[in-house]
Amino acid sequence: MADTIVILTGAGISAESGLGTFRDTDGLWSKVRIEDVATPEAFARDPARVQEFYNMRRAQAAGAAPNPAHHALARLQRDHPGRVVIVTQNVDGLHEAAGATVLHMHGALDRALCAACDHRWPAPAEMRPEEPCPACGAPAGRPDVVWFGEMPHHMEEIAELLAAADLFVAIGTSGQVYPAAGFVQEARLAGVETLELNLAESDVSAAFDRHEIGPASEIVPDWVDRVLSGGRARG
Ligand code: OAD
């Protein structure tokens, strides 16, 4: 049977599309504090500030286009004879724009969520502090993104996928935010081969069997070419 590949992507894959990362020099978290914009407490304290932050990010994401790394993963998902599951921590829609299907573990900027009734709907370009829910009418609309202190989505499914994979690949993620940072250990415990593709060594590089260094727009298409020409996940 053909190899199953599970891929985790982070902000680094969208960097060359012009979307900033979080922890690199000049990253988002050097400009704003997590506790001011990305926690449930921040939203309770100052919903206008939090909505403004995500309105800004939604506008940036809407103006960005997928780069060769997103396109290469979509091609891999289409052409690899085995299963290719892409799990992303990114809240932009660039994987989908390239034609891929992805699991958004940290939610999506283009979705809204009602904190009162859990209804979800497409987010307007600009969300207001007291955004009304179209289902229940409560002024409780928030971005459908996972904040620090909240449980990421699809965790059970991801654990099962990791255990059953032949190869786990992490692309453009610093390995500093759990639970995603622990996927490499989960994969290793299950005897799954692991590969890291990143611009630089990350804090968790040593946990991977192999790593390749370079910009995602170059090393991801190169790796995908090797996988597709060899027919095996190992590339
Ligand atoms: P980080 O900003 O922590 O890490 C970005 C990673 O991308 C770093 O390891 C960089 O070396 C790498 N990188 C930068 N440019 C690259 C390029 N052109 N090609 C390849 N790699 C590149 O971003 P994440 O790991 O995605 O969560 O951050 C994880 C989570 O922390 C985010 O989902 C977000 C953030 O706080 C929430 O907001 C809940």
Side-chain angles (χ1 to χ4, degrees):
M1 214 168 77
D3 288 335
T4 295
I5 310 174
V6 176
I7 299 166
L8 170 71
T9 66
I13 198 166
S14 296
E16 291 161 86
S17 294
L19 301 179
T21 61
F22 297 96
R23 295 175 183 78
D24 293 310
T25 316
D26 263 359
L28 211 43
W29 296 150
S30 71
K31 297 174 188 139
V32 283
R33 299 186 329 148
I34 287 175
E35 49 278 32
D36 288 339
V37 294
T39 65
E41 293 78 16
F43 189 61
R45 206 167 46 236
D46 193 347
R49 168 96 199 266
V50 173
Q51 292 285 24
E52 189 192 326
F53 175 70
Y54 287 95
N55 286 342
M56 180 268 291
R57 292 186 58 199
R58 190 177 299 111
Q60 284 174 347
N67 68 54
H70 299 101
H71 287 296
L73 293 189
R75 186 160 56 91
L76 181 68
Q77 203 171 45
R78 195 183 61 228
D79 295 346
H80 179 60
R83 194 165 175 210
V84 175
V85 180
I86 302 169
V87 177
T88 190
Q89 298 165 90
N90 299 344
V91 290
D92 65 56
L94 296 182
H95 283 299
E96 290 92 333
T101 303
V102 292
L103 293 175
H104 277 277
M105 60 179 293
H106 289 169
L109 283 169
D110 62 2
R111 306 286 299 166
L113 165 68
C114 176
C117 76
D118 281 347
H119 177 68
R120 288 182 157 84
W121 69 99
E126 296 252 323
M127 290 187 76
R128 290 170 282 158
E130 299 200 328
E131 186 72 27
C133 170
C136 74
R142 53 165 280 184
D144 187 7
V145 300
V146 174
W147 287 324
F148 286 87
E150 296 181 323
M151 182 56 83
H153 304 314
H154 312 296
M155 292 312 297
E156 248 177 63
E157 187 182 354
I158 294 169
E160 283 166 18
L161 287 162
L162 283 171
D166 296 291
L167 176 69
F168 169 67
V169 188
I171 302 175
T173 178
S174 62
Q176 292 198 29
V177 176
Y178 283 83
F183 290 175
V184 61
Q185 300 295 357
E186 280 182 54
R188 286 182 73 112
L189 281 172
V192 176
E193 190 177 333
T194 56
L195 166 68
E196 181 183 56
L197 304 177
N198 200 304
L199 188 61
E201 287 219 359
S202 76
D203 286 359
V204 291
S205 288
F208 288 82
D209 296 315
R210 291 189 295 132
H211 51 165
E212 296 180 15
I213 302 280
S217 66
E218 293 173 18
I219 60 174
V220 175
D222 181 62
W223 170 70
V224 167
D225 284 346
R226 278 180 278 142
V227 173
L228 291 178
S229 63
R232 282 177 56 77
R234 273 70 175 174

